[in-house]
Amino acid sequence: MSSEKTAITPTRAQDFPEWYQQVIKAADLAENSETRGCMVIKPWGYGIWELIQQQMDRRFKATGHQNAYFPLLIPLSYLEKEAEHAEGFATECAVVTHHRLEAVKDPVTGKTKMIPAGELAEPYVIRPTSETIIGAAFARWIESYRDLPLLINQWANVMRWEMRPRLFLRTAEFLWQEGHTAHETRQEAIDETRLMHGQYEEFMREHLAIPVIPGEKTENERFPGAEMTFTVEAMVQDKKAIQAGTSHYLGQNFSKAQNISFTGRDGTVQHAHTTSWGTSTRMIGTLIMAHSDDDGLVLPPRVATQQIVILPITPKEDSKQAVLDACQALAETLRHQCYRGDPLRVHVDSRDLNGGVKKWEWIKKGVPIRIEIGPRDIETRKICVQRRDQPISEKDFSDKEAFLQRATDILAEIHDSLLARATEFRDTNITPCNDLTEFHAHWTNDNPGWLLTPWSGTREEEEVLSKQHKINIRCLPIEGVVLPSSGDECFLTGKETTVRAIWGRSY
RNA sequence: CGGGGCGUGGCGCAGUCUGGUAGCGCGCCUCGUUCGGGACGAGGAGGCCGUGGGUUCGAAUCCCGCCGCCCCGACCA
């Protein structure tokens, strides 16, 4: 940092959780609402979500999925059908029990209170996830193998009554997408699960500039009711892990519970193999924690609500209009360019405010490129270009024409530099380990990062270690993930194994 | 659900112990001076002090109840 004073107090090093909250506030992304555990997503934050939606949705369509929409309220009996699933979500369910309010006057205070009336014969659960209600529809829709695969996605809100909410990372209500598919065979369903898992990994890397480790969850960490759960795990700047997306192979658990069956090619009645996969507004929390610095938010260009902000410098009244015109003209030219398939999002901030105030506002909002144009620049045909991934004091007075040639390249460079920075951070904080003593010693520190170990332990052994150090196995990285070697013998059992486990603290 | 803390103008707080009818900083509005930069001066707007009851001549302040929020745990995308 160029100066000792930072725009965000405290800094990451001083108090990471508080820093996170302050970044959100300074960037005007969201705020806590009067409704417990729920947030108001403000335009600058919602803009990020809209871009994530658009870009992800394109990937879903390109892989053959269609969007649909299902009810917010799920009959309680639906949830009861899959025992493990019901149990997994039971403690987080908000329940709707009435359908009417009656006005009752308090005899003492004289005030009117609205009292729930009209109790429902069967309560509804506000969806914590939609497997059961979508499964019920699938059961109606699917009759023949010719109806398969059925590839559906839903963009929706869900509710999980979390004990300890945190903006974007864990809110009682959150926005997400949930894919639900049904297939003829086990292998096809597993392929689908892996396909979407791969899509998530790619999305995080190519759109959010977050390097995630794709892996499988252990039995302990699996989605309730799933046979396999795949995850993409991100490391954020306090070295904790965040599960940024999951993809589940549900086997025939849900199809048997809900009778999602079809007549097969051989004429026999079979149960479908189903999958589900989801990502949420938690991705926004992840990207904040992955990229932002002590001066505020740093946005990866593809999901930046505005990618380029132009600040007119108008020191003299007589040249003011010329400067404003030049700024608008530049913005318009830039908007005709595309970066990764989308027109550039360019904003001219012509508010009548002190330049410094405006500049810092956009720094805190994480805009990738800031441009300043003043009267002098019009004469010299130059512009002042500043990048959010570089120190605040860094200025590049470049030729306007040259900048127009390079604008999208600069956005690409910013994306690459964010990704490279995050990758380096992650890699230096993954420590290979195949020794139990070292393993125990590692977790005595506050922010120790991840351990990578050979692993052949049981579910129970995993649980003991997890409880002891408040950690868990974040994932067993899938084949093809290149990680530092840590031997072939399990650090706990000593048995030979090809399985690797990543251990860490998590959000 | 356990343990702690807090509810006072938009935000952050002081005032509460030792009752007398509300103050500071930031922000906001106006005017002016500045300004290739998070500047300064002057003036101004904005509060039934979370809520219900009680004590009192008088309650932000004391007593009782309720509600809400935040932080730390167990749970989780």
Side-chain angles (χ1 to χ4, degrees):
Chain A
M1 244 20 51
S2 56
S3 69
E4 57 288 340
K5 193 170 182 260
T6 58
I8 301 296
T9 335
T11 62
R12 288 163 292 181
Q14 287 164 345
D15 183 348
F16 194 83
E18 182 58 25
W19 164 85
Y20 173 74
Q21 311 256 51
Q22 292 304 324
V23 169
I24 290 172
K25 194 173 174 184
D28 211 24
L29 293 171
E31 62 190 19
N32 279 313
S33 81
E34 39 289 285
T35 310
R36 198 209 87 100
C38 296
M39 62 177 167
V40 174
I41 307 177
K42 301 178 84 173
W44 191 251
Y46 197 75
I48 298 172
W49 181 241
E50 286 180 311
L51 290 161
I52 287 175
Q53 273 188 308
Q54 286 165 19
Q55 292 165 34
M56 229 183 208
D57 202 61
R58 263 182 240 154
R59 286 179 174 268
F60 297 156
K61 304 273 170 62
T63 44
H65 302 84
Q66 290 181 294
N67 286 333
Y69 189 79
F70 297 84
L72 169 72
L73 301 180
I74 299 176
L76 189 54
S77 59
Y78 281 29
L79 207 67
E80 287 163 346
K81 283 180 184 162
E82 217 291 335
E84 210 175 303
H85 182 71
E87 208 176 300
F89 284 103
T91 58
E92 309 167 14
C93 285
V95 187
V96 177
T97 54
H98 293 75
H99 66 90
R100 187 154 45 87
L101 291 173
E102 271 171 14
V104 175
K105 217 169 214 175
D106 188 316
V108 182
T109 63
K111 282 190 178 172
T112 300
K113 287 196 167 180
M114 302 305 285
I115 308 293
E119 189 170 349
L120 296 167
E122 185 190 351
Y124 287 104
V125 168
I126 298 178
R127 62 181 164 217
T129 178
S130 303
E131 272 73 11
T132 56
I133 196 153
I134 292 182
F138 278 19
R140 292 192 302 273
W141 297 351
I142 296 166
E143 291 182 311
S144 149
Y145 71 89
R146 292 195 175 90
D147 297 324
L148 298 174
L150 182 54
L151 308 173
I152 296 293
N153 177 65
Q154 159 167 269
W155 289 97
N157 57 341
V158 287
M159 180 157 265
R160 298 181 188 176
W161 211 262
E162 298 292 351
M163 286 306 133
R164 214 144 74 64
R166 225 150 157 356
L167 286 174
F168 289 114
L169 293 175
R170 196 190 301 107
T171 46
E173 181 188 8
F174 57 93
L175 305 180
W176 79 341
Q177 61 70 213
E178 47 180 327
H180 295 271
T181 69
H183 306 262
E184 201 178 337
T185 65
R186 174 185 165 87
Q187 192 52 52
E188 272 180 38
I190 292 176
D191 288 347
E192 165 77 7
T193 308
R194 301 293 298 266
L195 171 71
M196 299 323 285
H197 182 226
Q199 287 288 313
Y200 285 161
E201 187 277 326
E202 217 174 285
F203 183 84
M204 305 292 160
R205 179 162 40 85
E206 292 194 3
H207 298 248
L208 307 184
I210 298 172
V212 288
I213 292 190
E216 188 173 355
K217 286 286 185 190
T218 61
E219 192 186 346
N220 283 343
E221 305 287 332
R222 232 173 251 159
F223 177 76
E227 269 190 37
M228 301 178 192
T229 287
F230 293 92
T231 175
V232 285
E233 293 289 324
M235 181 190 282
V236 291
Q237 292 179 74
D238 63 351
K239 302 173 198 171
K240 281 192 184 175
I242 299 186
Q243 180 176 314
T246 47
S247 184
H248 318 288
Y249 169 59
L250 304 175
Q252 293 175 311
N253 294 341
F254 284 84
S255 60
K256 282 180 179 163
Q258 304 192 90
N259 200 27
I260 305 171
S261 60
F262 63 94
T263 306
R265 291 163 203 271
D266 60 1
T268 64
V269 175
Q270 302 164 32
H271 288 287
H273 293 258
T274 63
T275 82
S276 71
W277 27 276
T279 56
S280 71
T281 34
R282 171 176 266 202
M283 277 186 288
I284 297 177
T286 309
L287 82 84
I288 295 167
M289 288 194 164
H291 298 310
S292 301
D293 62 23
D294 294 338
D295 287 318
L297 186 64
V298 177
L299 283 171
R302 290 183 85 172
V303 295
T305 309
Q306 299 292 348
Q307 294 165 317
I308 301 175
V309 164
I310 303 176
L311 299 165
I313 308 293
T314 53
K316 290 170 206 140
E317 201 52 42
D318 57 353
S319 58
K320 189 173 175 180
Q321 197 53 49
V323 170
L324 290 175
D325 291 346
C327 290
Q328 290 296 353
L330 178 64
E332 210 39 50
T333 310
L334 285 167
R335 288 186 190 118
H336 284 91
Q337 296 192 10
C338 280
Y339 170 59
R340 298 282 221 138
D342 288 311
L344 292 189
R345 296 181 289 277
V346 187
H347 176 69
V348 179
D349 186 358
S350 49
R351 287 176 302 166
D352 186 21
L353 278 177
N354 258 351
V357 175
K358 288 201 278 189
K359 172 179 147 180
W360 280 98
E361 203 175 286
W362 294 114
I363 291 168
K364 288 184 279 192
K365 280 175 170 289
V367 171
I369 299 176
R370 300 186 304 280
I371 292 173
E372 296 175 356
I373 301 181
R376 244 181 281 151
D377 307 315
I378 295 177
E379 287 167 29
T380 57
R381 301 195 58 78
K382 293 201 179 230
I383 56 175
C384 173
V385 180
Q386 298 176 282
R387 292 168 50 156
R388 188 61 183 86
D389 64 330
Q390 291 176 352
I392 303 302
S393 58
E394 202 84 11
K395 290 184 176 188
D396 173 32
F397 286 91
S398 64
D399 207 71
K400 189 165 112 188
E401 297 307 319
F403 174 76
L404 282 169
Q405 295 295 314
R406 269 187 35 79
T408 58
D409 292 340
I410 295 174
L411 290 174
E413 283 169 23
I414 293 173
H415 175 95
D416 292 344
S417 82
L418 295 183
L419 181 61
R421 198 186 291 172
T423 306
E424 200 199 330
F425 181 85
R426 180 195 69 182
D427 290 347
T428 58
N429 288 297
I430 300 179
T431 314
C433 171
N434 60 354
D435 178 89
L436 187 58
T437 314
E438 274 175 34
F439 183 90
H440 285 306
H442 180 83
W443 304 109
T444 55
N445 292 327
D446 248 1
N447 297 305
W450 298 353
L451 280 188
L452 175 73
T453 71
W455 176 247
S456 76
T458 63
R459 182 184 178 148
E460 290 73 24
E461 288 165 334
E462 174 191 340
E463 211 168 315
V464 169
L465 291 171
S466 298
K467 289 247 162 73
Q468 189 177 351
H469 297 296
K470 289 175 186 165
I471 53 171
N472 46 31
I473 294 184
R474 298 313 303 159
C475 70
L476 312 172
I478 58 172
E479 36 339 321
V481 176
V482 182
L483 289 165
S485 161
S486 53
D488 291 325
E489 283 168 16
C490 175
F491 75 103
L492 187 70
T493 65
K495 287 184 207 152
E496 281 254 331
T497 177
T498 56
V499 177
R500 297 289 174 274
I502 286 182
W503 301 78
R505 301 221 164 101
S506 70
Y507 276 96

